[in-house]
Amino acid sequence: MGTLPRSANMRKANEAMRLIVTTFIGVVFGFFLGVSFPTLQLTKMNLPSNLLPSIDLTYIEDKYSGLSTQALLNVWSSLKGRDTSTHRATDSKIWIPTNPRGAERLPPGIVASESDFYLRRLWGLPSEDLTIKPRYLVTFTVGYDQKDNIDKAVKKFSENFTILLFHYDGRTTEWNEFEWSKRAIHVSARKQTKWWYAKRFLHPDIVARYDYIFIWDEDLGVDNFDAEEYIKLVRKNGLDISQPGLAPNSGFTWQMTKRRDDTEVHKETAERPGWCGDPHLPPCAAFVEIMAPVFSRDAWRCVWHMIQNDLVHGWGLDFALRKCVEPAHEKIGVVDAQWIVHQTVPTLGNQGQTEGGKPAWHGVRERCRREWTMFQDRMVVAERAYFKAVGIDPPNSTKR
């Protein structure tokens, strides 16, 4: 056998030395890398390797400093494992068309579509938060100047009522002089009306827990009113929309809403000649005013949708409320046995703005009248469009 050339032996020796040096460097590098890596027992985590880069462990540990990083990672691993197994079992996406709009991707059991104004604690168990769940809601749109009158009014409502104050003058903390105010809900937006508030804060799904909703002005005298007795009479007479009777000296008052001495409740009246072509229609029946209306839960769901977003004074609503109950002349009425006084304090007019030398209240009243006409026009146009779409003649119309 021949011998290898000397150059071949040298090349073989160099390759062996290079392999030894490379191995040594790799060992040293791995040692220092292991020493510098956080002391997390990653081998105990059942997390896929491609998930680790997406978790900022330092942030999690700082955010939840009361828990160890290992504990958090164990929880994360458990949740991921549960989610993965569930996905494998179903391997489908949730889509429930009957869920509320926008919540179709949620399982029905987790959908909480309704709410309330119940105050809750920041501690303890949720099931133990409430010692009583009020069944009724009363709202007042108020300015601080009427605080004494509102104090008297609120005291007419028992603990079965949630009290909600809408503040048009921006003053809320001053009301804490009243003990009941600390349990009330306060919403503040300057120079707004009660119908503006109602449209934005009394969505039917928000007030769904309440059997009846009172939407009242601030200038009502309640010496002869008891809220619990009022509710009893409303239930007894099957009223979905109602109001207390008004004392005859309450300024300009429709005949329908004037208090009667000979009955608990009345649902119709006789107005001036020619004012009522149909005795079952407003203002002779199916009619209450907008100063102190009371709505059942179902009636309010309809009325809320009828309130126009840009028409804030509510003028014209009282003549249209009948569209939300059937038969309206039976389900809308005035409770005479529990009556109030409309003091006609022009507080809202003072929230207007002086223009062209005219007082502030003048512009407010002018807009009220305009809104009445605008609302009536919108209702007529909407009804005609509906009847035309379904191919029938509107009521009280004739073919040309």
Side-chain angles (χ1 to χ4, degrees):
M1 295 177 61
T3 59
L4 293 172
R6 183 175 181 182
S7 59
N9 289 333
M10 291 181 64
R11 188 183 307 111
K12 190 173 183 179
N14 289 339
E15 290 177 353
M17 181 60 69
R18 188 180 299 113
L19 178 62
I20 293 172
V21 172
T22 302
T23 302
F24 177 78
I25 293 174
V27 171
V28 172
F29 178 80
F31 173 78
F32 283 105
L33 181 63
V35 171
S36 62
F37 199 81
T39 56
L40 296 174
Q41 299 179 21
L42 296 177
T43 56
K44 295 183 180 180
M45 295 165 49
N46 297 318
L47 292 173
S49 59
N50 62 349
L51 179 64
L52 290 175
S54 66
I55 304 176
D56 189 340
L57 299 176
T58 304
Y59 171 78
I60 293 177
E61 191 165 24
D62 289 342
K63 182 75 173 177
Y64 302 98
S65 57
L67 300 175
S68 68
T69 303
Q70 185 61 52
L72 287 167
L73 289 173
N74 289 339
V75 171
W76 178 274
S77 178
S78 174
L79 291 174
K80 283 299 294 180
R82 190 181 311 163
D83 181 70
T84 302
S85 62
T86 302
H87 183 71
R88 290 198 197 99
T90 61
D91 197 27
S92 62
K93 293 183 179 180
I94 294 175
W95 183 260
I96 312 294
T98 55
N99 277 0
R101 187 176 66 176
E104 295 87 353
R105 292 180 175 83
L106 298 178
I110 199 62
V111 173
S113 61
E114 298 177 351
S115 188
D116 52 62
F117 289 107
Y118 300 158
L119 296 176
R120 294 188 175 271
R121 306 175 303 173
L122 303 182
W123 64 93
L125 296 175
S127 61
E128 299 173 353
D129 284 346
L130 305 172
T131 57
I132 184 173
K133 293 182 179 180
R135 299 177 60 188
Y136 319 114
L137 173 69
V138 57
T139 76
F140 293 96
T141 301
V142 302
Y144 187 66
D145 289 343
Q146 293 295 312
K147 64 183 180 69
D148 292 332
N149 197 57
I150 292 297
D151 179 47
K152 293 178 182 178
V154 167
K155 289 176 179 176
K156 292 289 184 173
F157 294 88
S158 70
E159 62 181 0
N160 280 326
F161 288 80
T162 294
I163 306 298
L164 173 57
L165 298 188
F166 296 129
H167 299 270
Y168 61 75
D169 62 353
R171 301 175 67 179
T172 58
T173 56
E174 293 96 324
W175 290 81
N176 285 338
E177 66 182 88
F178 303 113
E179 180 60 30
W180 56 261
S181 177
K182 300 173 185 177
R183 301 185 300 273
I185 309 298
H186 297 264
V187 176
S188 177
R190 290 179 178 274
K191 298 182 181 295
Q192 301 303 318
T193 72
K194 71 176 181 180
W195 298 109
W196 182 92
Y197 287 110
K199 188 64 174 177
R200 287 149 183 83
F201 298 101
L202 300 182
H203 187 281
D205 289 343
I206 297 297
V207 300
R209 302 295 178 91
Y210 303 104
D211 295 344
Y212 293 94
I213 300 98
F214 292 59
I215 303 181
W216 282 19
D217 289 351
E218 62 182 335
D219 58 343
L220 304 176
V222 294
D223 290 342
N224 300 285
F225 178 82
D226 181 281
E228 291 285 353
E229 292 300 318
Y230 183 91
I231 293 293
K232 290 179 183 178
L233 291 172
V234 165
R235 292 188 188 279
K236 175 183 175 181
N237 291 275
L239 300 179
D240 280 328
I241 301 176
S242 64
Q243 74 163 77
L246 295 175
N249 60 342
S250 296
F252 174 79
T253 303
W254 295 94
Q255 289 296 324
M256 177 63 187
T257 55
K258 284 184 179 179
R259 175 192 175 234
R260 295 182 184 175
D261 296 325
D262 57 347
T263 182
E264 286 184 340
V265 168
H266 72 269
K267 301 178 181 179
E268 59 184 27
T269 191
E271 259 292 352
R272 301 176 187 179
W275 280 33
C276 296
D278 187 328
H280 287 168
L281 293 179
C284 289
F287 177 75
V288 297
E289 297 187 59
I290 58 174
M291 70 183 70
V294 180
F295 304 95
S296 70
R297 179 192 300 108
D298 291 340
W300 177 247
R301 183 168 289 277
C302 171
V303 172
W304 184 89
H305 284 89
M306 187 167 59
I307 298 171
Q308 303 294 285
N309 199 55
D310 59 330
L311 305 184
V312 297
H313 288 288
W315 280 35
L317 274 177
D318 37 16
F319 281 80
L321 295 176
R322 63 186 178 86
K323 299 179 183 296
C324 284
V325 292
E326 181 67 32
H329 65 279
E330 291 291 337
K331 294 190 176 182
I332 299 178
V334 175
V335 179
D336 301 291
Q338 297 295 320
W339 51 282
I340 60 176
V341 176
H342 187 207
Q343 300 165 344
T344 61
V345 179
T347 52
L348 192 60
N350 296 334
Q351 297 297 308
Q353 181 173 319
T354 302
E355 291 182 339
K358 297 179 181 179
W361 65 264
H362 187 276
V364 173
R365 180 54 60 93
E366 188 175 86
R367 173 156 176 165
C368 287
R369 294 194 179 100
R370 287 177 178 172
E371 287 196 4
W372 192 351
T373 301
M374 293 171 70
F375 180 80
Q376 289 178 313
D377 290 345
R378 291 182 188 183
M379 183 64 74
V380 169
V381 170
E383 288 185 339
R384 286 177 178 171
Y386 167 77
F387 288 120
K388 181 178 180 180
V390 297
I392 62 177
D393 292 330
N396 300 322
S397 70
T398 57
K399 291 184 178 180
R400 292 182 180 275

